[in-house]
Amino acid sequence: MKNSKYTKFAVIIMVLLFVIVSMLSCVVQHSHSNSNSQKIPPGQAKKMSGSKSAKAYAPGQQKK
């Protein structure tokens, strides 16, 4: 009789631990990167750097 109580208690504890571990392993990482935040228009880049021409910041105007 004593063993069955401890066995049931041990099984319940093991099931609870399994459920907790399985729930913790389902963590999803979210990245909030915005593709627009990396691409700055040439005119804005010019203003931020203080240069007089936006030509250096325009991808179509890059000299190879």
Side-chain angles (χ1 to χ4, degrees), residues 15-60:
V15 169
L16 286 174
L17 284 173
F18 176 75
V19 169
I20 290 170
V21 168
S22 63
M23 289 176 81
L24 288 175
S25 67
C26 293
V27 175
V28 178
Q29 292 181 346
H30 297 282
S31 68
H32 295 286
S33 65
N34 189 357
S35 62
N36 293 335
S37 66
Q38 295 175 1
K39 297 180 181 179
I40 301 171
Q44 294 297 321
K46 173 189 76 97
K47 286 180 186 177
M48 290 179 1
S49 68
S51 68
K52 294 187 180 215
S53 174
K55 189 175 183 181
Y57 303 101

